[in-house]
Amino acid sequence: MFAIFSRTYRKLQAYWRGDQGALLCSECFQDHGLRMMARDFHGKRIRCSRCGATSTHGLTREQLRDLCQTFFVRGSIMAADYGASPLIQFNDMRENELDVEGAINVDIALLHRVVGLGFFHYGPRLWMVGAVEPLRKLRTRRGRQPTINRILRTYPVREITPREIFYRVRKAPAEPSDAAQYDAPPGEFSGSGRLDSPGNSILYGSQDIEICVHECRFSAGDDLYVATLAPTRTLRLVDLTEILEEEGTEFDSLDLAVLMLFLAGSHAYEITRELAASARAKGFDGLIYPSYFSMLRTGGMPFETMFGISLRRMHQTRGYEKAKVIGNLALFGHPVADGMLRVVGINRLVISRVSYGTTFGPVMTPDQS
Ligand SMILES: [Zn+2]
């Protein structure tokens, strides 16, 4: 009887103090980055029963899990040649197996003791780091063309009508007011980008101006101009940003192979250039493809999983995954000179504010990763 009374009394006391549910506060943490991120959670003013600090940053169990997801999982993502994977994972069923250097070790022990979270080195599912069969085929001489044909057969065609507009940004063009300056570069300059090759010039554009700026690595202080472009007829583009509904596992997924191809660095260009040339040969006007900077712009995490299954493959999470990817446009040839596009307007483009979202993560020494 007394035990029940004293438990109720403690709960009431916690309620009066305003810290119901808060297990730890930001000041409980030793690691500077983790403490700073915990301060992003705001609540009532409490006196922390753990460290004694007076704080408005008490964190509930749920909030502590969110904090750990951002700091440890997202903060330990490493890109492979294709794909990417976190080096750390945690759950409340595992013992704590993570032994890292420094103050964070004390915090890991505290999170284990109080919240019951066990942290461990994550051995990724191999598909997450590029072991996807269509991707393997694309990387071989014999497998490439049949797989490219399969991609062009499988992905939907999207029509862009003359009512739609998009943008192309250029740095210091010779004649800023001349529409021809915003066409694809002359043939002799083709062959250095993701999709263009000698003999296959490409005009790159986007419906998102910020993506144009990111893709071309422009920065504040650059003398930039933007052309607003519109098609003169309906264009037929292969839409590679679509999420495919597929049978089979992640290891057989054409959908993941294509996404990984476009989120990879310049080592993938050899493949993407052949893909573009084949699409052109088949009579398409161009491609819509996932922007390399999609994840930065949308704040999304690449290749997220739930119980080891890619969220791209679950019906319920498909919309969420689709929203992470921004499409860029690649139009074949010299669409302005060829009369496929008209220049609606030309303006100077000023980068007035640059803003990056940042979060912290743990330091992993090479032998831990
Ligand atoms: Zn505290």
Side-chain angles (χ1 to χ4, degrees), residues 10 13-28 43-59:
R10 272 206 307 277
Q13 228 181 1
Y15 179 76
W16 291 325
R17 283 201 311 265
D19 66 346
Q20 70 276 20
L23 297 180
L24 295 171
C25 81
S26 59
E27 305 315 296
C28 289
K44 286 183 181 169
R45 193 175 187 81
I46 56 159
R47 188 171 162 77
C48 176
S49 57
R50 193 65 50 178
C51 72
T54 304
S55 170
T56 54
H57 310 294
L59 282 85

Side-chain angles (χ1 to χ4, degrees), residues 76 78 86-88 97-102 104-105 108 120-123 362-369:
S76 69
M78 287 287 167
L87 302 179
I88 301 176
E97 293 163 18
L98 202 64
D99 190 19
V100 290
E101 291 296 313
I104 194 64
N105 230 359
I108 288 172
F120 53 93
H121 292 287
Y122 182 62
V363 176
M364 307 289 285
T365 51
D367 63 315
Q368 291 164 341
S369 55

Side-chain angles (χ1 to χ4, degrees), residues 14-310:
Y15 179 76
W16 291 325
R17 283 201 311 265
D19 66 346
Q20 70 276 20
L23 297 180
L24 295 171
C25 81
S26 59
E27 305 315 296
C28 289
F29 297 118
Q30 305 293 310
D31 182 89
H32 180 78
L34 189 59
R35 193 162 64 238
M36 289 298 122
M37 280 173 55
R39 285 183 189 167
D40 288 340
F41 292 85
H42 298 274
K44 286 183 181 169
R45 193 175 187 81
I46 56 159
R47 188 171 162 77
C48 176
S49 57
R50 193 65 50 178
C51 72
T54 304
S55 170
T56 54
H57 310 294
L59 282 85
T60 64
R61 183 176 299 276
E62 213 40 54
Q63 289 170 327
L64 286 162
R65 291 187 74 99
D66 288 348
L67 176 69
C68 290
Q69 179 68 25
T70 311
F71 184 85
F72 290 100
V73 180
R74 193 186 182 118
S76 69
I77 290 180
M78 287 287 167
D81 274 355
Y82 292 94
S85 163
L87 302 179
I88 301 176
Q89 272 292 0
F90 69 90
N91 61 39
D92 43 21
M93 286 171 284
R94 291 275 287 256
E95 276 305 304
N96 203 29
E97 293 163 18
L98 202 64
D99 190 19
V100 290
E101 291 296 313
I104 194 64
N105 230 359
V106 181
D107 298 331
I108 288 172
L110 180 70
L111 285 161
H112 183 58
R113 208 167 57 244
V114 178
V115 195
L117 302 178
F119 295 82
F120 53 93
H121 292 287
Y122 182 62
R125 282 159 206 270
L126 288 178
W127 66 261
M128 294 175 80
V129 288
V132 180
E133 188 57 16
L135 185 60
R136 191 194 65 74
K137 285 187 177 153
L138 284 166
R139 295 170 74 186
T140 63
R141 264 287 123 215
R142 279 187 56 205
R144 183 170 301 169
Q145 196 56 50
T147 311
I148 285 176
N149 293 342
R150 190 178 151 212
I151 291 171
L152 296 176
R153 272 198 319 273
T154 310
Y155 279 83
V157 173
R158 200 181 130 198
E159 297 192 332
I160 305 258
T161 70
R163 283 196 303 278
E164 295 177 70
I165 56 161
F166 60 96
Y167 305 101
R168 169 155 157 76
V169 177
R170 283 213 56 199
K171 179 175 163 179
E175 288 281 342
S177 60
D178 175 14
Q181 302 278 319
Y182 301 89
D183 208 346
E188 62 266 32
F189 296 113
S190 290
S192 61
R194 186 172 289 278
L195 295 162
D196 54 282
S197 48
N200 190 24
S201 296
I202 288 197
L203 183 148
Y204 295 96
S206 177
Q207 291 178 322
D208 182 319
I209 290 191
E210 271 193 54
I211 280 287
C212 295
V213 171
H214 274 305
E215 290 277 354
C216 298
R217 277 83 162 166
F218 296 131
S219 58
D222 283 345
D223 186 26
L224 301 181
Y225 294 85
V226 58
T228 304
L229 305 165
T232 54
R233 59 173 171 83
T234 299
L235 306 180
R236 290 181 70 247
L237 311 178
V238 183
D239 186 358
L240 300 174
T241 64
E242 187 59 44
I243 299 182
L244 299 179
E245 297 208 21
E246 301 180 298
E247 302 289 316
T249 70
E250 284 84 354
F251 292 96
D252 305 314
S253 170
L254 192 64
D255 176 79
L256 286 168
V258 169
L259 181 64
M260 284 176 181
L261 194 61
F262 282 94
L263 298 188
S266 57
H267 54 273
Y269 287 10
E270 184 190 322
I271 305 170
T272 46
R273 286 169 187 166
E274 280 189 45
L275 172 58
S278 295
R280 188 177 188 185
K282 288 192 191 304
F284 292 105
D285 296 311
L287 301 173
I288 301 175
Y289 64 99
S291 160
Y292 183 64
F293 290 95
S294 283
M295 301 295 155
L296 268 184
R297 181 84 170 87
T298 61
M301 197 165 127
F303 316 117
E304 267 183 281
T305 59
M306 192 184 285
F307 309 117
I309 299 169
S310 166

